[in-house]
Amino acid sequence: MHKALLNISLFLSCAGSLVAQTVSYRFINFSAKDGLLDKVVYNATQDRRGYMWFGTATGLYRYDGHRFRYFRSPIDKAGSNISNILQGILCDSSGHLWLGSFTTLQWYDPLKNRFWQPDLNKPENKKFASSYFYNFSEGKYIWCSTARNYVYRFNKQDSTLLSLAPGYPAGASTTSLYTIEKGNYLYDVHPEGIYQFELSGRFTRFVAHLPADISNAQYSPANNTLSLCSYENGLLTFTPGQDTSITTAYPANKLLKGNYLYSAAAADNGVTYVGATGLFILDRQGETLLNSYELKNENEFSFGAAKKVVNIFTDRERNRWFCSHNGLSMMPWQNDQVKTMLLKDEVTGFITEAFGVYQDPGTSNLLLINTTSRGLQYADLTNWKVSTIPNPSASDQLKKRITALVNTPDKKIFASDDQNFFIYNPSTRTLAPYSLTDQYGKPIRQIGRNLYDRNGTVFISTYNNGFYTWDYPGGKLLHHNKWEVLNTSSDTKDNQMAPCIADSKGNIWFTGSNGIYEYRQADKKYYQHVPPGSDDLPTI
């Protein structure tokens, strides 16, 4: 088909902090059918070979891309085992897994299938191993966040262990939620704020957050930002090495402040994912809610992990994993190929719906036919903005929208509203009235789908008014009724024939309400094809 209609989708977003359900994302959900027997999934990591590992309420699982496998440690002991609440998990730079449960710490080598743990006969190791681990992070050192004993530093060079507990100021909570090593400092997130340490373990400063309701944090290397979740104060932000205080991200977004937040991740494409009792996906400014997901089993691609989303992990393939108290969901990397653009008429303020996308000749920008703008919408992909090319004819605001475009063999573009026909000037980005009448002297109107053949004839559909053939080189427009071209005595109420495709022989194929139609160039005749038992085919 000789059309410049692009095979892409534009997703609409609406302004305002409480608008949702505008960009559709697809998810893959995992459960017992895949071998994942536990619904409470706390954390995720990925090893050198690409396997995904998950800490759950009953221990360790591995996902190989097909099935989940449960790993039980042979060194587990009563009251000290990882086959328990395994909340902390990390694959370090050596390829070993750090596994921190409520009751112990173990390491695992996936290549050798070997578990081991600190020597628990040493009092300092026993205290360390029973600290109730929340998280692990890695930089020059391995940092272990605990609920009971602040933070431990593990030196990878000599395997020594250092407790940072003595350095905390009076009144500091023992609960370290998350740590990130940045430059020469460690930033340790607690419910009441952020404690900064030199890598040697010397405390340097405290950045307070009151009330003390931080629930979790996650660092984004792309923009050097710590996203801090809170129970009652929405999403917070802090830039290590720059900020002197914790600030509220997206202060205008009341929706975030109205929910308990448990996890957050800022993606490289500027989208922010926020886990709560459900999932919020926000645009670059955080003012537009691209979508929100609650626990709904609408279909197999809906979001299943929608109960206390406690961790968001992005793997090397850029798939995004959502760990929750109601299972595990994954957003495939292909969702990141989706970009959003607010389709809004800048004068009327109307949010519009594009139902046709064409390429602006000579550019990579787009022309959008739509529902409610003042004319033809123009999407400039260099600055990712939408403007409206005004309709110069229609007086009624609601009839100014451009509902169809026609491509011609010489790459010109013509446009139509419900009553008028225009030619598009790409150099000035304007529409001008264009006189085009049929054999009866009637103007072309209410046009729809169209294409042109190798002879330069443009076939143009109308809404239940037959179709037009425009001999573009000769400048002659003919209107055709369905019953006339088929030589039938059909009910004149059915006059729908929509050109769809030109085949390799140059024949034109149409769809209609009671069959498929073919125009054969060799004998210049129209034929109807009705599949056996099918008398109600769609026209689009």
Side-chain angles (χ1 to χ4, degrees), residues 130 189 209 253 262 269 298 302 331 338 374 395 456 493 530:
S130 61
V189 180
H209 167 69
N253 197 314
Y262 303 109
N269 61 2
E298 296 172 347
S302 60
M331 177 189 290
V338 176
R374 297 170 298 123
S395 57
K493 292 182 179 179
V530 180

PDB file of all heavy atoms in Angstrom, residues 130 189 209 253 262 269 298 302 331 338 374 395 456 493 530:
ATOM      1  N   SER A 130      23.122 -12.136  62.723  1.00  0.00           N
ATOM      2  CA  SER A 130      21.745 -12.107  63.237  1.00  0.00           C
ATOM      3  C   SER A 130      21.179 -10.695  63.290  1.00  0.00           C
ATOM      4  O   SER A 130      20.294 -10.406  64.083  1.00  0.00           O
ATOM      5  CB  SER A 130      21.704 -12.738  64.635  1.00  0.00           C
ATOM      6  OG  SER A 130      22.522 -11.994  65.533  1.00  0.00           O
ATOM      7  N   VAL A 189      20.528   5.518  54.365  1.00  0.00           N
ATOM      8  CA  VAL A 189      19.155   5.996  54.528  1.00  0.00           C
ATOM      9  C   VAL A 189      18.485   5.283  55.697  1.00  0.00           C
ATOM     10  O   VAL A 189      18.449   4.051  55.759  1.00  0.00           O
ATOM     11  CB  VAL A 189      18.338   5.760  53.242  1.00  0.00           C
ATOM     12  CG1 VAL A 189      16.905   6.254  53.422  1.00  0.00           C
ATOM     13  CG2 VAL A 189      18.995   6.443  52.049  1.00  0.00           C
ATOM     14  N   HIS A 209      14.967  14.135  58.036  1.00  0.00           N
ATOM     15  CA  HIS A 209      13.626  14.139  57.441  1.00  0.00           C
ATOM     16  C   HIS A 209      12.619  13.917  58.564  1.00  0.00           C
ATOM     17  O   HIS A 209      12.630  12.888  59.239  1.00  0.00           O
ATOM     18  CB  HIS A 209      13.460  13.037  56.404  1.00  0.00           C
ATOM     19  CG  HIS A 209      12.031  12.804  56.007  1.00  0.00           C
ATOM     20  ND1 HIS A 209      11.308  13.718  55.272  1.00  0.00           N
ATOM     21  CD2 HIS A 209      11.181  11.778  56.283  1.00  0.00           C
ATOM     22  CE1 HIS A 209      10.086  13.258  55.095  1.00  0.00           C
ATOM     23  NE2 HIS A 209       9.967  12.089  55.704  1.00  0.00           N
ATOM     24  N   ASN A 253       1.913  16.679  43.118  1.00  0.00           N
ATOM     25  CA  ASN A 253       1.224  15.407  42.916  1.00  0.00           C
ATOM     26  C   ASN A 253       0.656  14.901  44.234  1.00  0.00           C
ATOM     27  O   ASN A 253       1.330  14.275  45.045  1.00  0.00           O
ATOM     28  CB  ASN A 253       2.195  14.378  42.320  1.00  0.00           C
ATOM     29  CG  ASN A 253       1.457  13.200  41.721  1.00  0.00           C
ATOM     30  OD1 ASN A 253       0.545  12.655  42.331  1.00  0.00           O
ATOM     31  ND2 ASN A 253       1.851  12.809  40.524  1.00  0.00           N
ATOM     32  N   TYR A 262       6.418   2.325  48.961  1.00  0.00           N
ATOM     33  CA  TYR A 262       7.363   1.312  49.422  1.00  0.00           C
ATOM     34  C   TYR A 262       8.590   1.159  48.529  1.00  0.00           C
ATOM     35  O   TYR A 262       9.589   0.584  48.946  1.00  0.00           O
ATOM     36  CB  TYR A 262       6.657  -0.050  49.522  1.00  0.00           C
ATOM     37  CG  TYR A 262       5.463  -0.056  50.421  1.00  0.00           C
ATOM     38  CD1 TYR A 262       4.172  -0.167  49.905  1.00  0.00           C
ATOM     39  CD2 TYR A 262       5.601   0.058  51.807  1.00  0.00           C
ATOM     40  CE1 TYR A 262       3.059  -0.171  50.739  1.00  0.00           C
ATOM     41  CE2 TYR A 262       4.496   0.055  52.642  1.00  0.00           C
ATOM     42  CZ  TYR A 262       3.228  -0.068  52.108  1.00  0.00           C
ATOM     43  OH  TYR A 262       2.128  -0.061  52.938  1.00  0.00           O
ATOM     44  N   ASN A 269      14.703   6.627  30.656  1.00  0.00           N
ATOM     45  CA  ASN A 269      13.847   7.363  29.730  1.00  0.00           C
ATOM     46  C   ASN A 269      13.062   8.476  30.413  1.00  0.00           C
ATOM     47  O   ASN A 269      12.182   9.084  29.811  1.00  0.00           O
ATOM     48  CB  ASN A 269      12.886   6.405  29.023  1.00  0.00           C
ATOM     49  CG  ASN A 269      11.954   5.676  29.981  1.00  0.00           C
ATOM     50  OD1 ASN A 269      11.992   5.899  31.195  1.00  0.00           O
ATOM     51  ND2 ASN A 269      11.123   4.801  29.449  1.00  0.00           N
ATOM     52  N   GLU A 298      -7.361  -8.633  34.888  1.00  0.00           N
ATOM     53  CA  GLU A 298      -8.119  -8.311  33.689  1.00  0.00           C
ATOM     54  C   GLU A 298      -7.751  -9.249  32.541  1.00  0.00           C
ATOM     55  O   GLU A 298      -8.601  -9.687  31.787  1.00  0.00           O
ATOM     56  CB  GLU A 298      -7.857  -6.860  33.301  1.00  0.00           C
ATOM     57  CG  GLU A 298      -8.343  -5.864  34.353  1.00  0.00           C
ATOM     58  CD  GLU A 298      -7.911  -4.453  34.033  1.00  0.00           C
ATOM     59  OE1 GLU A 298      -7.047  -4.288  33.151  1.00  0.00           O
ATOM     60  OE2 GLU A 298      -8.436  -3.521  34.668  1.00  0.00           O
ATOM     61  N   SER A 302      -2.016  -8.034  32.525  1.00  0.00           N
ATOM     62  CA  SER A 302      -2.252  -7.022  33.551  1.00  0.00           C
ATOM     63  C   SER A 302      -1.217  -7.170  34.659  1.00  0.00           C
ATOM     64  O   SER A 302      -0.474  -8.146  34.728  1.00  0.00           O
ATOM     65  CB  SER A 302      -3.671  -7.138  34.109  1.00  0.00           C
ATOM     66  OG  SER A 302      -3.864  -8.415  34.684  1.00  0.00           O
ATOM     67  N   MET A 331       8.045  -6.209  33.667  1.00  0.00           N
ATOM     68  CA  MET A 331       7.722  -5.392  32.508  1.00  0.00           C
ATOM     69  C   MET A 331       8.853  -5.585  31.497  1.00  0.00           C
ATOM     70  O   MET A 331       9.973  -5.169  31.729  1.00  0.00           O
ATOM     71  CB  MET A 331       7.593  -3.912  32.884  1.00  0.00           C
ATOM     72  CG  MET A 331       7.320  -3.008  31.683  1.00  0.00           C
ATOM     73  SD  MET A 331       7.414  -1.245  32.100  1.00  0.00           S
ATOM     74  CE  MET A 331       5.950  -1.061  33.103  1.00  0.00           C
ATOM     75  N   VAL A 338       8.223   2.654  24.259  1.00  0.00           N
ATOM     76  CA  VAL A 338       7.043   3.509  24.211  1.00  0.00           C
ATOM     77  C   VAL A 338       7.383   4.885  24.766  1.00  0.00           C
ATOM     78  O   VAL A 338       7.924   5.010  25.858  1.00  0.00           O
ATOM     79  CB  VAL A 338       5.894   2.892  25.038  1.00  0.00           C
ATOM     80  CG1 VAL A 338       4.699   3.834  25.069  1.00  0.00           C
ATOM     81  CG2 VAL A 338       5.492   1.549  24.456  1.00  0.00           C
ATOM     82  N   ARG A 374      -8.236  22.191  16.727  1.00  0.00           N
ATOM     83  CA  ARG A 374      -8.674  23.238  15.799  1.00  0.00           C
ATOM     84  C   ARG A 374      -8.252  22.950  14.362  1.00  0.00           C
ATOM     85  O   ARG A 374      -8.416  23.795  13.488  1.00  0.00           O
ATOM     86  CB  ARG A 374      -8.091  24.585  16.210  1.00  0.00           C
ATOM     87  CG  ARG A 374      -8.538  25.105  17.558  1.00  0.00           C
ATOM     88  CD  ARG A 374      -7.708  26.324  17.957  1.00  0.00           C
ATOM     89  NE  ARG A 374      -6.313  25.973  18.098  1.00  0.00           N
ATOM     90  CZ  ARG A 374      -5.315  26.558  17.433  1.00  0.00           C
ATOM     91  NH1 ARG A 374      -5.581  27.524  16.577  1.00  0.00           N
ATOM     92  NH2 ARG A 374      -4.069  26.183  17.616  1.00  0.00           N
ATOM     93  N   SER A 395     -16.210  27.222  10.654  1.00  0.00           N
ATOM     94  CA  SER A 395     -16.538  28.259  11.631  1.00  0.00           C
ATOM     95  C   SER A 395     -16.865  27.653  12.984  1.00  0.00           C
ATOM     96  O   SER A 395     -16.571  28.239  14.033  1.00  0.00           O
ATOM     97  CB  SER A 395     -17.720  29.096  11.136  1.00  0.00           C
ATOM     98  OG  SER A 395     -18.842  28.272  10.876  1.00  0.00           O
ATOM     99  N   GLY A 456      -1.174   6.274 -10.664  1.00  0.00           N
ATOM    100  CA  GLY A 456      -1.390   7.589 -10.087  1.00  0.00           C
ATOM    101  C   GLY A 456      -2.821   7.881  -9.725  1.00  0.00           C
ATOM    102  O   GLY A 456      -3.159   9.015  -9.355  1.00  0.00           O
ATOM    103  N   LYS A 493     -28.899   1.414   1.141  1.00  0.00           N
ATOM    104  CA  LYS A 493     -28.476   1.856   2.462  1.00  0.00           C
ATOM    105  C   LYS A 493     -27.052   1.396   2.779  1.00  0.00           C
ATOM    106  O   LYS A 493     -26.393   1.956   3.655  1.00  0.00           O
ATOM    107  CB  LYS A 493     -29.433   1.330   3.530  1.00  0.00           C
ATOM    108  CG  LYS A 493     -30.819   1.942   3.463  1.00  0.00           C
ATOM    109  CD  LYS A 493     -31.714   1.408   4.578  1.00  0.00           C
ATOM    110  CE  LYS A 493     -33.096   2.030   4.517  1.00  0.00           C
ATOM    111  NZ  LYS A 493     -33.993   1.500   5.593  1.00  0.00           N
ATOM    112  N   VAL A 530     -17.075 -13.249  -1.458  1.00  0.00           N
ATOM    113  CA  VAL A 530     -17.750 -13.483  -0.187  1.00  0.00           C
ATOM    114  C   VAL A 530     -17.324 -14.851   0.331  1.00  0.00           C
ATOM    115  O   VAL A 530     -17.673 -15.870  -0.285  1.00  0.00           O
ATOM    116  CB  VAL A 530     -19.277 -13.424  -0.316  1.00  0.00           C
ATOM    117  CG1 VAL A 530     -19.933 -13.667   1.041  1.00  0.00           C
ATOM    118  CG2 VAL A 530     -19.705 -12.082  -0.886  1.00  0.00           C
TER     119      VAL A 530
END
